[in-house]
Amino acid sequence: MKPLRIDILTLFPQLVRAVLDESIPRIAREKGAVEYHLANFRDFAKGVHQSVDDRPYGGGAGMVLKPEPVFACVRHVLAQDTRPAHLVLLTPQGRRFDQQAAIELSGKQRLLMLCGRYEGFDERIRQGFAWDEISIGDYVLSGGELAALVITDAVVRLLPGVLGEDGSAEEDSFNLGPHGRLLEYPQYTRPVEFEGMKVPEVLQSGNHALIAKWREEQARKRTKERRPDLL
Ligand code: ADE
């Protein structure tokens, strides 16, 4: 299978690169499940100052991302590959990102994500392409980079062969694993006793049926206490 191609359009490629070069995003690339391409739309800005932002028409605080460099960059990047790209615009005005959206995006051949900065995008950037506008939560970030990285991380760990053990992605919180849409059960490793806190007996019993039952109960209990909205 061809790797998923992820293009990230950003004014801060070094910030983005630093995260993609570690841990699971890196392993996903090394295993050939994904390829990352970064583009800086400042490179597409005209004039000595290569400015990418300007004052808003009608007045008001802050600056707005200009359409020309963004359009030029998106078009340039799209032309680098024939695979159909799913276009993602990171914005607090978008649909809320969740595990279901991560699963959906992990099935695409190519993702192109545009990270904004400043107070917002010129509206014609929105109109010019068929964006899937996505928000990672109801708070305002200083730019779309961290949101693009959150999405990238959640997506690439779902790609076939990325996580070592079969099924470890399926058993994570929120995935439709053996316990459905529940939070994960408590986990323990050695030592069997630490500062007076013991590993539950059942986990040491070797009785797989009992262990499965205990985990299911714990997952339900935890979900009921913390996220009853999931039940
Ligand atoms: N850009 C700024 N805030 C954001 C958010 N919450 N989600 C996605 N992109 C953003």
Side-chain angles (χ1 to χ4, degrees):
M1 229 171 74
K2 258 193 141 181
L4 166 65
R5 173 173 174 138
I6 301 183
D7 293 280
I8 301 181
L9 279 51
T10 168
L11 294 171
F12 299 93
Q14 292 181 87
L15 182 162
V16 173
R17 176 64 67 197
V19 175
L20 300 180
D21 271 348
E22 301 284 352
S23 187
I24 299 291
R26 177 197 192 113
I27 289 168
R29 170 168 53 75
E30 288 172 351
K31 289 192 170 173
V34 64
E35 52 187 64
Y36 305 117
H37 298 265
L38 306 186
N40 188 339
F41 47 89
R42 192 178 297 283
D43 296 341
F44 296 81
K46 300 267 187 316
V48 268
H49 297 296
Q50 290 199 297
S51 74
V52 291
D53 59 326
D54 206 341
R55 294 187 316 254
Y57 269 107
M63 300 289 268
V64 174
L65 275 180
K66 289 157 67 71
E68 304 96 318
V70 172
F71 269 73
C73 185
V74 172
R75 285 178 178 143
H76 174 84
V77 169
L78 281 176
Q80 288 175 350
D81 198 297
T82 56
R83 276 172 281 180
H86 184 78
L87 274 53
V88 174
L89 184 72
L90 287 318
T91 164
Q93 300 181 21
R95 66 176 174 129
R96 180 77 69 81
F97 186 68
D98 60 12
Q99 191 64 20
Q100 199 50 50
I103 292 169
E104 183 197 318
L105 296 183
S106 73
K108 306 286 181 194
Q109 299 180 58
R110 182 177 185 195
L111 301 175
L112 183 156
M113 302 199 247
L114 174 62
C115 307
R117 282 270 153 179
Y118 313 111
E119 296 309 305
F121 304 93
D122 182 289
E123 189 62 19
R124 289 160 296 184
I125 295 171
R126 283 206 158 82
Q127 294 166 353
F129 301 93
W131 299 109
D132 180 4
E133 297 192 21
I134 299 184
S135 164
I136 62 163
D138 287 340
Y139 38 80
V140 179
L141 300 167
S142 310
E145 286 77 13
L146 294 173
L149 289 166
V150 164
I151 292 172
T152 299
D153 187 285
V155 165
V156 301
R157 63 201 306 290
L158 295 173
L159 298 174
V162 171
L163 296 187
E165 264 177 86
D166 260 358
S168 58
E170 287 72 28
E171 286 191 27
D172 278 348
S173 295
F174 299 112
N175 261 336
L176 303 166
H179 308 302
R181 228 167 77 96
L182 297 178
L183 299 183
E184 211 170 18
Y185 46 78
Q187 300 267 32
Y188 293 88
T189 185
R190 286 184 292 182
V192 74
E193 184 174 341
F194 175 73
E195 297 189 352
M197 297 175 281
K198 294 194 180 110
V199 176
E201 295 280 349
V202 56
L203 297 180
Q204 303 170 55
S205 69
N207 184 329
H208 296 296
L210 266 187
I211 291 170
K213 184 165 166 283
W214 182 86
R215 286 180 166 166
E216 156 103 50
E217 286 164 6
Q218 291 293 318
R220 284 196 184 288
K221 180 164 170 276
R222 193 153 271 208
T223 309
K224 194 169 165 221
E225 284 165 5
R226 301 183 181 203
R227 293 292 307 277
D229 58 299
L230 291 177
L231 290 171

